[in-house]
Amino acid sequence: MRFFQVKPAIYYGEGSLKQIEKHNFKNVCIATDQGMVKFGLLKKLTDELDAKGITYHVFADIESDPSTEIVEKGLMHIIMNKPDALIAIGGGSVIDAAKAIIFYCVNFKRIFFEDRYVHKPMFIAIPTTAGTGSEVTEYAVITDKQKNTKIPLTDILMMPDEAILDPQLIESVPAGATAATGMDVMTHAIEAFISTQNNPFARCYANKAVELVFRSLYPSYVNGSDLEAKGSMQIASCMAGIAFNSAGLGITHSIAHAFGAMFHLPHGLANAIVLPYVIRFNGQDEKVQHQYARLLSGSGILNVSGNATETLYNSVVALSASLNIPVSLKAFGVSEADYLGAREEMLDKAMADICTTTNPVEVTREKLKGVMDQAYYGV
């Protein structure tokens, strides 16, 4: 028996932030970062809360790749303020941190109250990038800085109750971040479509996400004011998130997690660099070739050469080039000495990564090293 579930409630389109007005909260905690404060996006949310007379407390200490220390601080914030709702407004790091805070808050209360009924604050996710899909998944990744490693968390407790996708909130995202987060969407969708746990529901969402990324990412990149393209990318991100929440991912993510933790690359950029090499690696398998052909057909891309692997590879490479994505980790600026010195440790982490278990082609350490080397050298 298999299981598929679509959550949370999703409100999208220009002005959808006004959905906040529909709630009768008394006390709210807001999880965010200093960027949201600096660029006025937090104020858009607090204006809505002020209009309703809702009391709120802001936790704005979240940073990129949220650490266990930040989650602990956020946990104390929510325990002390006892909110009706937790609203996360920001990118994937903010939403992931908020998920971890909710997870540990509920479990802390269960332990403290000896498993009696525990009230979980309503959890609303408002993404300000179109990339991670974190607003519709039960996964989060936090960083143990002492061990220099990523910690994946998964629990239905972390699934937001509502997601609000307002393209006006991503209008000011810089072009480079738009490119990286957009290629994160592409990676989620392609990996979910071919994973060992793929299913008809996940494939449907993933296929549409790929189509939308090919159609809308470049316009979003060159014109930040193109709200139609921005809104389309938000929907693609959401759909890809729904897909991988059900189907899992693959070794693009395993390698990207290792690269990101070691060399402090933004997650979307790490995925964008690694993705073409994994497409080619997995595409040596006949079954994956067939899946690529279906993906291309469903996305409206002509497979002129008759080789679905090469067509998908070339299409993704061309899109990345138009977005000025580095072709390799070396081109990004990581020295060969640093890479080789860290390679074995990164291999250990990539082999142990949960995403490796759902890659459609079984990998050995030697094969994974080959793909990792390709992603470093760009060959």
Side-chain angles (χ1 to χ4, degrees):
M1 182 173 66
R2 302 285 295 275
F3 174 74
F4 182 82
Q5 176 177 257
V6 179
K7 287 182 71 178
I10 300 167
Y11 300 88
Y12 64 98
E14 291 181 51
S16 53
L17 185 60
K18 289 197 172 292
Q19 164 62 18
I20 292 294
E21 295 178 356
K22 305 289 178 64
H23 296 289
N24 293 311
F25 301 133
K26 301 296 183 186
N27 181 28
V28 166
C29 279
I30 301 172
T32 191
D33 59 31
Q34 286 300 314
M36 297 299 104
V37 177
K38 179 180 178 182
F39 295 111
L41 295 179
L42 175 63
K43 188 175 186 303
K44 291 179 182 289
L45 171 60
T46 57
D47 283 350
E48 299 293 336
L49 298 174
D50 287 335
K52 284 279 289 185
I54 298 171
T55 300
Y56 54 84
H57 305 271
V58 178
F59 176 66
D61 293 349
I62 300 172
E63 300 170 343
S64 181
D65 296 324
S67 65
T68 51
E69 290 81 5
I70 289 294
V71 171
E72 287 172 11
K73 287 179 67 176
L75 175 61
M76 293 309 299
H77 182 88
I78 197 172
I79 288 173
M80 295 297 292
N81 287 294
K82 301 180 177 63
D84 305 314
L86 174 63
I87 304 177
I89 179 167
S93 291
V94 167
I95 297 174
D96 274 11
K99 286 177 172 181
I101 290 166
I102 278 279
F103 175 78
Y104 288 115
C105 175
V106 172
N107 281 292
F108 172 83
K109 289 179 179 178
R110 282 176 175 167
I111 294 168
F112 187 78
F113 294 108
E114 298 179 347
D115 279 331
R116 284 179 287 175
Y117 173 76
V118 172
H119 170 69
K120 172 181 174 280
M122 186 171 186
F123 182 20
I124 301 176
I126 308 175
T128 57
T129 60
T132 67
S134 188
E135 69 277 6
V136 291
T137 75
E138 60 195 51
Y139 297 100
V141 178
I142 57 175
T143 300
D144 185 331
K145 289 187 175 180
Q146 291 185 344
K147 295 181 180 178
N148 201 29
T149 191
K150 304 277 188 178
I151 303 171
L153 300 173
T154 177
D155 195 291
I156 193 64
L157 276 174
M158 298 191 296
M159 177 70 78
D161 299 295
E162 283 186 8
I164 297 175
L165 314 178
D166 193 327
Q168 292 172 318
L169 295 176
I170 65 170
E171 187 175 4
S172 61
V173 174
T178 296
T181 56
M183 290 306 295
D184 197 16
V185 178
M186 181 72 86
T187 307
H188 291 156
I190 291 174
E191 294 211 300
F193 192 90
I194 65 171
S195 86
T196 57
Q197 295 298 311
N198 80 77
N199 56 73
F201 301 102
R203 291 196 301 271
C204 180
Y205 281 101
N207 208 154
K208 187 64 179 178
V210 169
E211 176 193 338
L212 291 174
V213 174
F214 274 125
R215 186 174 74 201
S216 302
L217 179 51
Y218 182 73
S220 294
Y221 172 75
V222 296
N223 180 9
S225 298
D226 186 341
L227 293 185
E228 182 178 353
K230 293 276 189 175
S232 181
M233 284 304 301
Q234 283 184 314
I235 292 170
S237 176
C238 197
M239 286 183 160
I242 292 169
F244 87 75
N245 190 62
S246 168
L249 295 162
I251 60 170
T252 305
H253 273 77
S254 305
I255 296 171
H257 287 155
F259 281 179
M262 184 61 65
F263 300 116
H264 310 293
L265 270 76
H267 175 67
L269 181 59
N271 270 331
I273 290 171
V274 176
L275 178 61
Y277 306 102
V278 174
I279 287 174
R280 202 162 54 185
F281 170 78
N282 284 332
Q284 298 173 80
D285 180 84
E286 188 175 342
K287 181 180 177 182
V288 174
Q289 290 174 22
H290 177 66
Q291 290 173 314
Y292 283 166
R294 293 170 61 191
L295 182 61
L296 290 168
S297 175
S299 303
I301 299 172
L302 292 176
N303 185 14
V304 179
S305 69
N307 185 323
T309 297
E310 286 306 305
T311 299
L312 182 59
Y313 170 85
N314 289 332
S315 299
V316 168
V317 167
L319 179 59
S320 288
S322 74
L323 304 170
N324 293 308
I325 299 286
V327 297
S328 65
L329 192 60
K330 186 175 183 179
F332 173 74
V334 175
S335 74
E336 186 172 17
D338 285 345
Y339 169 71
L340 293 176
R343 184 170 62 181
E344 293 306 311
E345 181 181 343
M346 292 191 295
L347 270 171
D348 289 340
K349 291 177 179 177
M351 285 297 294
D353 195 297
I354 187 132
C355 296
T356 301
T357 64
T358 47
N359 195 69
V361 176
E362 190 172 348
V363 293
T364 62
R365 186 181 181 86
E366 197 62 28
K367 287 179 179 179
L368 195 61
K369 182 169 76 171
V371 179
M372 193 178 284
D373 283 348
Q374 289 174 1
Y376 175 74
Y377 291 105
V379 294

